[in-house]
Amino acid sequence: MANVTVIGAQWGDEGKGKIVDWLAERADVVVRFQGGHNAGHTLVVSGKTYKLSLLPSGIVRGTLSVIGNGVVFDPWHFRDEVAKLKAQGVEINPDNLHIAETCPLILPIHRDLDGLREDASGAGKIGTTRRGIGPAYEDKVGRRAIRICDLAHLDDLDMQLDRLCAHHDALRAGFGEPPVDRDALKAELAEIADVILPYAKPVWLTLNEARKRGRRILFEGAQGVLLDVDHGTYPFVTSSNTIAGTASSGSGLGPSAAGFVLGIVKAYTTRVGSGPFPSELEDETGQRLGERGHEFGTVTGRKRRCGWFDAVLVRQSAAVSGITGVALTKLDVLDGFDEIKICTGYRIGDQTYDYLPPHPQDQAKVEPIYETIEGWSESTFGARSWAELPAQAIKYIRRVEELIQCPVALVSTSPEREDTILVRDPFAD
Ligand code: GDP
Ligand code: IMO
Ligand code: MG
């Protein structure tokens, strides 16, 4: 297995960006294959922080970076993110960044609709990032999307825009909003086309060629398995498949290309946005986890909800996503707790579950069954070898492995790139 597929195994923000950046040293290509700029991936390299939403994390090292067809692409955000990273000294050009010509575009009308729906949803709101992700995927599946390749055929765009606008005008009317200004939208697209088109390539071809030449491909997932539109806590999910299988459909490589599936797992649990969260702690302990872990969203700045590690959910994620091994991140955040709890099952009344039932009402009702483990007082912050870990921390890791039925391949002990312990090299597997 020369390739590695990195995915989040919880509700996102597990530390995928840090691990992808660390692994990118060994990779020839880094590929984003789903989601869009709803993601927020943070990298810290020698004290300097980089925040990426749409660009693959490999770009910071200058590794060939690819945005696959499964990504929904906001061209204006792209322009701004490229400018921001360039200002930080990151080199980005059409040689080291390729974007699939078939990516559907996120347009201002998608952002509008995302916000209008959230505002109208009251208590039932999903708590989206309001970046137009859901509406853009709807138009893709509805066969109405404007894609990057359409930017090279502006003369042919009128009929497509008419169809798209007719659909959105009906939706907007329901919210009391004026119709789409079609000519203004066309003019905006014409203006941004020159920024995007130099990067637009048949990436499926580049990736297949790279694979034939034995190049190492690193797939970078966004969000997490519990936000997957099929396997997550529906309807409180994102609008794409976030599981490892999407690396294939979202890039144009066959399913065997996924290689080692590395699930990124935080040593506790967080969630941003609405939806069930069985092991959530709405008390001082939750607050302590949030403060120690600096749990604020990269994209929206929202406070992340925090709770104990939920082994039931991660075991389920590992199963549905075919996770080969996990990277356990933010272990240092648990330093100094007298006791640490792990959720090992659920209860509703007299009934126990070893998986999360699918109905949102049951998901909201389940009570976690905990086992308690003694904590450790020593610091693991910045540890770079197994030998530096306190015995109790190792016990915790071993218990997590047992419960999720998956081995730990990497441990992360701070935001810094090099504060990472390699247990089993995913590229060598
Ligand atoms: P992603 O969306 O999965 O890439 O994760 P985010 O970047 O949104 O959130 C993870 C946060 O935790 C970022 O601020 C990282 O810098 C930070 N982080 C990653 N790994 C560790 C770790 O092992 N320890 C600590 N303390 N912070 C970490
Ligand atoms: P990374 O890649 C955490 C959540 C939103 C909301 C739901 C739907 O940084 O881990 P959307 O805008 O996608 O329609 O919102 O999904 N969400 C994330 N939560 N990390 C992310 O990405 C997320 N991307 C979306 O908060 O609950
Ligand atoms: Mg994030």
Side-chain angles (χ1 to χ4, degrees), residues 12-16 38-42 52 223 297-299 304:
D13 302 328
E14 300 90 349
K16 296 175 292 292
N38 48 348
H41 298 173
T42 314
L52 295 90
Q223 291 80 52
T298 313
V299 171
R304 296 175 185 151

Side-chain angles (χ1 to χ4, degrees), residues 113-342:
L113 193 56
D114 201 349
L116 288 167
R117 283 181 178 153
E118 283 288 278
D119 289 340
S121 296
K125 76 158 73 143
I126 290 165
T128 72
T129 58
R130 295 176 173 255
R131 292 192 155 190
I133 305 294
Y137 274 119
E138 286 171 36
D139 281 342
K140 169 184 171 171
V141 179
R143 296 161 291 190
R144 293 178 294 273
I146 309 294
R147 301 184 299 166
I148 286 182
C149 55
D150 296 321
L151 297 177
H153 294 269
L154 289 172
D155 292 345
D156 293 334
L157 204 55
D158 288 329
M159 244 168 61
Q160 271 178 283
L161 279 175
D162 284 344
R163 238 182 110 230
L164 182 67
C165 292
H167 181 79
H168 278 263
D169 285 348
L171 294 170
R172 293 165 70 94
F175 289 103
E177 288 293 309
V180 183
D181 185 340
R182 180 184 163 291
D183 293 340
L185 177 58
K186 191 176 174 189
E188 280 184 87
L189 287 169
E191 200 189 322
I192 200 74
D194 291 343
V195 178
I196 309 304
L197 288 174
Y199 297 90
K201 309 265 166 63
V203 305
W204 62 271
L205 192 57
T206 316
L207 291 172
N208 276 276
E209 288 299 324
R211 196 162 180 230
K212 273 187 212 151
R213 292 202 305 275
R215 298 286 186 263
R216 288 171 156 190
I217 302 170
L218 173 56
F219 295 96
E220 177 178 10
Q223 291 80 52
V225 175
L226 302 172
L227 289 169
D228 182 282
V229 68
D230 285 287
H231 296 285
T233 46
Y234 192 91
F236 301 99
V237 293
T238 192
S239 297
S240 66
N241 284 111
T242 58
I243 54 167
T246 315
S248 165
S249 59
S251 70
L253 275 164
S256 61
F260 188 108
V261 178
L262 182 68
I264 314 301
V265 174
K266 209 178 268 193
Y268 49 100
T269 313
T270 61
R271 169 162 212 173
V272 54
S274 328
F277 183 171
S279 67
E280 181 171 14
L281 295 165
E282 289 173 283
D283 59 5
E284 269 175 31
T285 309
Q287 189 132 357
R288 188 170 163 198
L289 285 169
E291 279 164 16
R292 288 189 53 82
H294 304 290
E295 296 294 355
F296 293 92
T298 313
V299 171
T300 56
R302 286 177 293 175
K303 204 170 164 186
R304 296 175 185 151
R305 300 153 66 193
C306 295
W308 292 121
F309 186 77
D310 188 332
V312 183
L313 288 180
V314 175
R315 186 168 61 231
Q316 195 164 330
S317 291
V320 299
S321 211
I323 290 175
T324 321
V326 304
L328 190 69
T329 62
K330 304 192 99 161
L331 183 68
D332 54 289
V333 174
L334 296 180
D335 293 352
F337 280 86
D338 294 335
E339 286 186 338
I340 298 169
K341 290 188 181 174
I342 303 181

